[in-house]
């Protein structure tokens, strides 16, 4: 009897969009995939998608990421001076990441040599690990304000790359690095599918958490946070449609919340979990009919 050689498994990537609080849905998606043995070969992300994906790539399980939604008490080494700069106490670690040091950064000039509270916190989560040494291949993006071009991080300090990709305009100071001034990657590319392909992915699964743009009453843009949120949503939506066409499979997770609305983190994660579970067979088919 002639044995038919098995087809080699295709290398696949999970692509995680930015979206602030909406990005917590990625945790639920990763948890379902992990439970079903569908751990990606590559994770590509931007902004909050990069934060979640980078922590997972560094070895934090879906269950651990879910625990981190609960509160700051899980970690004792959160930067206390930075915590004093918050307008209010954050409800969970991801809100801390997004809002910590906001007041200090927003109302002071960008300085060189200052300790960055967020990068320090990220190091407390992942240590000094380099991207090229992660157990799961990882890539994220940022925008260089000097050149106006997208920058990809596929090597170097993971904490530094995550700090750069999450630099939301007007919320966090851009990151200075090698003559560049780096801003949130989602401003230019909210769905880094092509980055995943450059990293070697043969199949790409994009988790779509973008909020379709609807006309908004001027009266609803009352404060800085609302203006920033609207600006980010417009930028991300503009770059999404074209990028999404390159993905082999798009997993839609509807989360109709603002970028900085962290009021129900577990409910957001649950939406990702439900969407992934409902589309599990379709994801397997996209990956080549895995059992």
């Amino acid at each position: 009897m002639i044995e038919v050689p098995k087809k080699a498994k295709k290398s696949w990537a999970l692509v995680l969009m930015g979206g602030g609080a909406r990005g917590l849905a990625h945790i639920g998606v990763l948890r379902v995939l992990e439970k079903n043995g569908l751990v990606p070969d590559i994770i590509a992300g931007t902004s909050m998608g990069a934060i979640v994906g980078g922590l997972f790539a560094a070895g934090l399980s879906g269950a651990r990421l879910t625990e981190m939604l609960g509160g700051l008490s899980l970690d004792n080494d959160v930067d206390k001076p930075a915590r004093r700069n918050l307008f209010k106490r954050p409800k969970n670690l991801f809100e801390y990441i997004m809002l910590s040091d906001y007041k200090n950064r927003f109302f002071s000039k960008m300085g060189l040599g200052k300790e960055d509270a967020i990068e320090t916190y990220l190091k407390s989560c992942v240590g000094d690990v380099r991207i090229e040494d992660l157990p799961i291949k990882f890539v994220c993006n940022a925008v260089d304000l000097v050149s106006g071009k997208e920058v990809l991080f596929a090597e170097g300090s993971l904490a530094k790359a995550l700090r750069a990709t999450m630099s939301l305009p007007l919320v966090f100071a851009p990151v200075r690095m090698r003559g560049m001034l780096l801003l949130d990657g989602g401003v230019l590319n909210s769905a880094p599918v092509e980055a995943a392909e450059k990293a070697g992915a043969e199949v790409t699964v994009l988790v779509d958490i973008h909020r379709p743009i609807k006309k908004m009453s001027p009266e609803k843009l009352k404060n800085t946070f609302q203006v920033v949120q609207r600006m980010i949503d417009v930028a991300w939506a503009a770059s999404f449609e074209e990028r999404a066409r390159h993905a082999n499979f798009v997993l839609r997770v509807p989360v109709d919340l603002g970028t900085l609305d962290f009021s129900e983190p577990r409910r957001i994660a649950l939406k990702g979990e439900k969407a992934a579970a409902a589309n599990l067979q379709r994801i397997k088919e996209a990956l080549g009919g895995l059992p």
Side-chain angles (χ1 to χ4, degrees), residues 15-244:
V15 182
L16 304 178
M17 294 183 64
R22 294 192 299 277
L24 301 182
H26 296 316
I27 295 175
V29 173
L30 280 166
R31 188 164 187 175
V32 169
L33 294 178
E34 186 180 28
K35 281 182 179 180
N36 287 275
L38 299 178
V39 176
D41 302 295
I42 300 165
I43 296 178
T46 189
S47 198
M48 183 59 90
I51 295 288
V52 174
L55 294 177
F56 186 83
L60 278 71
S61 67
R64 173 60 180 143
L65 291 172
T66 302
E67 288 176 8
M68 290 173 72
L69 295 173
L72 287 167
S73 60
L74 288 171
D75 291 274
N76 296 320
D77 53 0
V78 175
D79 187 82
K80 291 180 181 179
R83 192 184 299 176
R84 287 196 294 269
N85 285 328
L86 298 176
F87 287 121
K88 60 185 179 61
R89 182 181 174 85
K91 297 182 180 65
N92 62 76
L93 292 174
F94 289 91
E95 185 177 13
Y96 174 84
I97 289 173
M98 296 300 291
L99 300 182
S100 175
D101 213 28
Y102 167 82
K103 187 175 180 181
N104 179 59
R105 299 288 182 182
F106 187 69
F107 290 108
S108 62
K109 294 181 180 179
M110 290 183 292
L112 293 172
K114 285 185 177 181
E115 182 181 23
D116 188 286
I118 301 303
E119 187 177 341
T120 298
Y121 172 71
L122 290 168
K123 281 185 179 179
S124 78
C125 293
V126 301
D128 292 319
V129 66
R130 294 179 65 82
I131 295 172
E132 59 268 34
D133 297 328
L134 295 174
I136 297 175
K137 198 169 187 178
F138 177 73
V139 61
C140 66
N141 67 348
V143 177
D144 176 22
L145 292 179
V146 176
S147 66
K149 296 181 179 179
E150 182 181 22
V151 176
L152 297 181
F153 289 94
E155 59 182 20
S157 165
L158 176 61
K160 177 71 75 174
L162 296 182
R163 175 61 182 85
T165 190
M166 62 166 283
S167 299
L168 287 167
L170 302 183
V171 178
F172 295 116
V175 171
R176 296 180 183 271
M177 181 190 300
R178 300 192 299 270
M180 298 182 292
L181 199 58
L182 300 170
L183 195 67
D184 192 304
V187 171
L188 272 185
N189 184 356
S190 63
V193 177
E194 292 173 336
E197 293 171 342
K198 286 181 181 178
E202 298 171 271
V203 179
T204 52
V205 175
L206 169 65
V207 182
D208 171 15
I209 57 167
H210 92 285
R211 185 166 66 167
I213 294 296
K214 300 175 183 177
K215 189 173 181 179
M216 179 180 284
S217 168
E219 287 73 30
K220 290 187 177 180
L221 298 173
K222 297 177 182 177
N223 56 50
T224 300
F225 271 132
Q226 289 170 335
V227 171
V228 170
Q229 177 178 299
R230 181 65 171 176
M231 178 179 69
I232 294 167
D233 285 346
V234 169
W236 279 338
S239 73
F240 172 74
E241 296 298 337
E242 178 59 32
R243 307 285 183 178

